[in-house]
Amino acid sequence: MSTALMEDVATSPPEPGARRRPRRRVARPSETRGAWVLMAPYLVLLMIAGIIPVAYAIKTSLEKAPTPLDPSGGFGGVDSFRTVVTDYRFVDTFVNIFATLVVWLPIMTIGIVGLALLVHASPGWFGSSMRFVYYIPGALAGVANLVLWVYLLNPSQSPIEGFWQALGVDTIKQAVAGPGNLPFILAAMMFFQGVGQWVIVVNGGLNGISEETLEAARLDGANEWRLAWHVKLPIIRPWIGYAVLMNLAYGFQLFLEPQLLDQVASNALDDHWTPTQLGYAFAFSNYNFPAAAAMSLILLVITLAIGLLVVFRTGLFGEEEHR
């Protein structure tokens, strides 16, 4: 092939249907150093609150639980994992948590996205005011949120007393311990506690969409519905994935809500309704700390696997394309 022909081929424009691969930007040394400086506090916290506890849990789970007949302990291999998996309560705890997630996660995701889109479509003081109103329930976290819900769940004091009477519920024990009630109660508690915070996060992603993109879609004839469905939702998919991931992790760690609801319902619930409660029972009722560590590691593996699935399906940490 002649030199001139090779130059023509090298400089010829790409075909109309061909897609150019974006050039990967090479970071300068100063930028790399700055990134490490910014990451250093996080890496320290990751070691203290993540890697070291996981390593200690792995070490503890491989030990043998001391007994009155053999208090020496020692290396136990995978006996602690076998103890956890063969426990009669193990499967039931995950059935309970999955029942709660099936009710809560879709409602939470639709609520977050829907309210964030409404706030973004309402510029000015009205949108800002509604964003603040949605955030208020999130300030009632932990015990404060539980006290509010104890008041709502008590038919003799609840402002929704008529609702409980229609269901034939007369006491808070019946409301909490009724067959199939707890997943819906927990879903409602977690929804109103967390939806406002995530509306702000997702709304931040919506605010990052350039006005040029939205204006171009309007010029092409897109109404508000098409604008939300075909333009806004694809762009904020990583934010939605992040919200789903964090709420999923929170759901698997449920402990405070069912534990305290059990106390206000006169111990009508199982003490091991969730996996974290079962791990607590292993540690402080059975004094089997290796089994408790094994339970925590099983939860870690399950949540990590589901989390990776969410990350790859939503492109949460994917490279952004600039067009």
Side-chain angles (χ1 to χ4, degrees), residues 129-141 192-193 195-197 200:
S129 302
M130 293 307 298
R131 185 168 59 244
F132 175 73
V133 169
Y134 295 147
Y135 178 77
I136 290 177
L140 300 174
F192 286 104
Q193 177 178 327
V195 66
Q197 303 171 25
I200 293 176

Side-chain angles (χ1 to χ4, degrees), residues 246-268:
M246 298 303 294
N247 283 285
L248 186 69
Y250 182 80
F252 270 99
Q253 299 173 19
L254 270 181
F255 178 83
L256 177 65
E257 290 84 353
Q259 187 81 0
L260 295 181
L261 284 176
D262 179 43
Q263 296 180 11
V264 300
S266 304
N267 298 320

Side-chain angles (χ1 to χ4, degrees), residues 260-283:
L260 295 181
L261 284 176
D262 179 43
Q263 296 180 11
V264 300
S266 304
N267 298 320
L269 300 174
D270 292 332
D271 294 334
H272 40 76
W273 200 83
T274 66
T276 51
Q277 286 182 296
L278 180 58
Y280 181 85
F282 277 128

Side-chain angles (χ1 to χ4, degrees), residues 19 54 56 72 98 119 122 125 163 180 195 221 240 289 299 307 311 319:
R19 183 179 177 182
V54 169
Y56 182 74
S72 61
F98 276 115
V119 169
S122 305
W125 67 269
F163 172 77
V195 66
I240 299 172
F289 288 96
L299 273 175
V311 167
E319 185 176 354

